[in-house]
């Protein structure tokens, strides 16, 4: 078994690789649905019986068959809301990759970066198909750990972006993001601005990235452009919400990465569907990410209006990325090899 620490994972994984791996997975799944097995994740709320902020622990198994070999990939995640105060990442994770023919564990790797990059890659894929091709401004709402790679993904697929505008509940957090993003991603020659007012941050945005733990909509339809595209990766539990009902019901197209998981976890959409004063229901969902990648559904950019991509994640996305890392590490002889 190869043990791959966070540095090794980061050295092997880049955004283009993650986007390519997930698009290939979605095409494979469309052609051979039986080759990808992804049961619903197990989510256990944590610290619900204490005065601490409640987080969650997740178990996310998946099995992938590529036509020749079959692999089992399992990710274990713990979400710790108080960790930013400890200068630690909110999400911790590990991933194991096994060969199902022999049972051999090919790799056991740090899963934090895998999670960040695969989640962001989904927003990148959605932006590739839903955002205006000539988009020039991205507004980032919520400047936590997930926001870095989410922005990196959008910049990867939207080469005309010139300006990034940041808004965070604390201006300090936005300024930290500005400095660290410029240092960590020097390949993107964009202007980064911090706004204290969310309305100002939104008014000229072609693409809006959301990654928050909000429990109510952060802005309304009247505050954004008529052709804006929104990537929403927060609100991953039914009681959470970052996209307001006015936006959801005004969207010309609403896509999700995993419909089955979304029915239980996509707080924004669950609450909109249940609201008596909101016209949107699950019947209005346009489709999932696979529909875009396989071109089962295409979008007329001249008539698209506001588009929304809601991400809740699925183990198969982690599996596609982690398997690629494990295979690259084996070929290159990377990581620490341990006999079990």
């Amino acid at each position: 078994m190869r043990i791959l620490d966070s540095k090794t994972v980061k050295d092997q994984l880049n955004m283009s690789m993650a986007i390519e791996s997930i698009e290939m997975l979605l095409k494979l799944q469309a052609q051979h649905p039986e080759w990808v097995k992804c049961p619903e994740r197990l989510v256990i709320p944590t610290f619900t019986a204490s005065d601490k902020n409640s987080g969650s622990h997740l178990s996310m198994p998946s099995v992938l068959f590529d036509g020749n070999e079959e692999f089992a990939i399992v990710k274990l995640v713990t979400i710790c809301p108080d960790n930013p105060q400890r200068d630690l990442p909110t999400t911790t994770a590990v991933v194991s990759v096994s060969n199902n023919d022999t049972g051999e564990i090919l790799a056991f790797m740090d899963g934090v970066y895998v999670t960040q990059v695969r989640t962001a890659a989904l927003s990148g894929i959605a932006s590739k198909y839903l955002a205006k091709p000539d988009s020039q401004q991205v507004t980032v709402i919520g400047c936590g750990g997930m926001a870095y790679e989410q922005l990196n993904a959008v910049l990867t697929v939207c080469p005309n972006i010139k300006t990034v505008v940041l808004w965070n509940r604390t201006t300090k957090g936005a300024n930290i993001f500005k400095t660290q993003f410029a240092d960590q991603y020097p390949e993107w020659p964009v202007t980064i601005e911090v706004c204290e007012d969310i309305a100002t941050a939104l008014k000229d945005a072609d693409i809006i990235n959301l990654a928050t733990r909000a429990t109510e909509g952060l802005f309304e339809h009247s505050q954004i452009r008529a052709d804006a595209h929104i990537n929403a990766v927060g609100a991953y539990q039914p009681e959470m919400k970052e996209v307001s009902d006015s936006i959801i019901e005004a969207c010309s197209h609403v896509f999700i990465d995993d419909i089955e998981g979304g029915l239980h976890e996509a707080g924004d959409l669950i609450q909109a569907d249940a609201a008596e004063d909101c016209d949107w229901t699950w019947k209005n969902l346009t489709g999932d990410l696979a529909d875009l990648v396989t071109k089962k559904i295409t979008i007329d950019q001249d008539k698209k209006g506001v588009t929304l991509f809601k991400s809740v994640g699925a183990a198969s996305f982690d599996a596609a990325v982690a398997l690629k890392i494990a295979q690259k590490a084996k070929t290159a002889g990377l990581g620490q090899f341990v006999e079990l």
Side-chain angles (χ1 to χ4, degrees):
M1 175 178 69
R2 295 183 185 278
I3 297 178
L4 309 179
D5 62 14
S6 59
K7 182 180 185 307
T8 304
V9 171
K10 287 183 178 180
D11 287 346
Q12 295 303 303
L13 177 60
N14 60 54
M15 186 55 65
S16 295
M17 170 183 152
I19 288 173
E20 180 181 357
S21 297
I22 293 172
E23 287 203 88
M24 288 178 62
L25 168 78
L26 293 172
K27 292 175 182 177
L28 179 73
Q29 194 168 13
Q31 295 169 355
H32 304 282
E34 71 280 7
W35 287 12
V36 180
K37 300 180 180 68
C38 185
E40 186 177 342
R41 76 187 79 186
L42 172 65
V43 181
I44 304 174
T46 59
F47 289 110
T48 55
S50 76
D51 57 359
K52 292 188 176 184
N53 284 330
S54 178
S56 54
H57 178 76
L58 296 77
S59 177
M60 302 172 63
S62 183
V63 170
L64 302 184
F65 178 61
D66 63 7
N68 295 303
E69 296 181 288
E70 186 179 84
F71 303 90
I73 301 95
V74 181
K75 186 174 79 166
L76 300 176
V77 185
T78 303
I79 299 173
C80 308
D82 293 331
N83 267 5
Q85 301 168 26
R86 306 177 179 116
D87 199 25
L88 294 171
T90 301
T91 302
T92 63
V94 292
V95 183
S96 65
V97 180
S98 305
N99 184 302
N100 281 351
D101 186 30
T102 63
E104 177 190 5
I105 299 177
L106 303 179
F108 185 78
M109 70 186 73
D110 180 271
V112 173
Y113 193 60
V114 172
T115 301
Q116 291 173 343
V117 174
R118 78 87 164 131
T119 301
L122 299 171
S123 290
I125 294 169
S127 299
K128 174 179 173 181
Y129 293 96
L130 296 175
K132 295 183 301 179
D134 60 349
S135 294
Q136 298 190 14
Q137 178 177 310
V138 179
T139 292
V140 175
I141 304 296
C143 297
M146 296 299 294
Y148 288 85
E149 288 300 330
Q150 191 186 23
L151 176 56
N152 182 32
V154 171
L155 295 176
T156 299
V157 300
C158 298
N160 295 317
I161 298 293
K162 295 180 173 60
T163 305
V164 175
V165 179
L166 310 176
W167 182 87
N168 194 62
R169 290 194 183 276
T170 65
T171 304
K172 178 182 178 182
N175 282 314
I176 290 173
F177 182 97
K178 176 180 178 179
T179 300
Q180 292 188 350
F181 188 87
D183 289 343
Q184 295 175 20
Y185 304 86
E187 65 270 29
W188 301 123
V190 293
T191 299
I192 304 178
E193 304 171 358
V194 173
C195 271
E196 295 187 8
D197 176 50
I198 192 171
T200 302
L202 290 165
K203 65 183 182 68
D204 294 322
D206 297 303
I207 301 171
I208 301 166
N209 282 356
L210 296 173
T212 75
R213 288 176 54 84
T215 55
E216 60 182 26
L218 295 168
F219 51 90
E220 301 298 329
H221 176 241
S222 60
Q223 295 176 278
I224 64 175
R225 292 177 58 113
D227 56 2
H229 170 63
I230 303 170
N231 296 308
V233 306
Y236 52 86
Q237 293 179 352
E239 68 275 12
M240 300 171 73
K241 187 176 183 66
E242 55 186 3
V243 184
S244 67
D245 289 350
S246 72
I247 290 173
I248 295 172
E249 65 182 355
C251 282
S252 62
H253 301 286
V254 177
F255 284 88
I256 195 167
D257 55 353
D258 179 56
I259 295 175
E260 185 175 351
L263 291 171
H264 306 288
E265 299 173 16
D268 314 280
L269 302 183
I270 290 171
Q271 293 181 46
D273 175 74
E276 294 183 359
D277 58 349
C278 178
D279 292 336
W280 191 89
T281 70
W282 283 107
K283 293 180 180 179
N284 300 118
L285 184 73
T286 309
D288 62 19
L289 206 55
D291 292 326
L292 290 170
V293 171
T294 61
K295 294 184 169 52
K296 181 179 178 181
I297 297 175
T298 57
I299 305 301
D300 184 343
Q301 288 291 339
D302 294 329
K303 302 176 182 178
K304 81 176 190 73
V306 175
T307 52
L308 170 64
F309 169 64
K310 176 62 187 176
S311 177
V312 293
S316 57
F317 303 136
D318 297 283
V321 175
L323 177 59
K324 185 69 173 180
I325 295 170
Q327 291 172 331
K328 286 182 66 178
K330 182 177 180 179
T331 300
L334 301 175
Q336 179 184 0
F337 189 79
V338 188
E339 291 282 358
L340 294 180

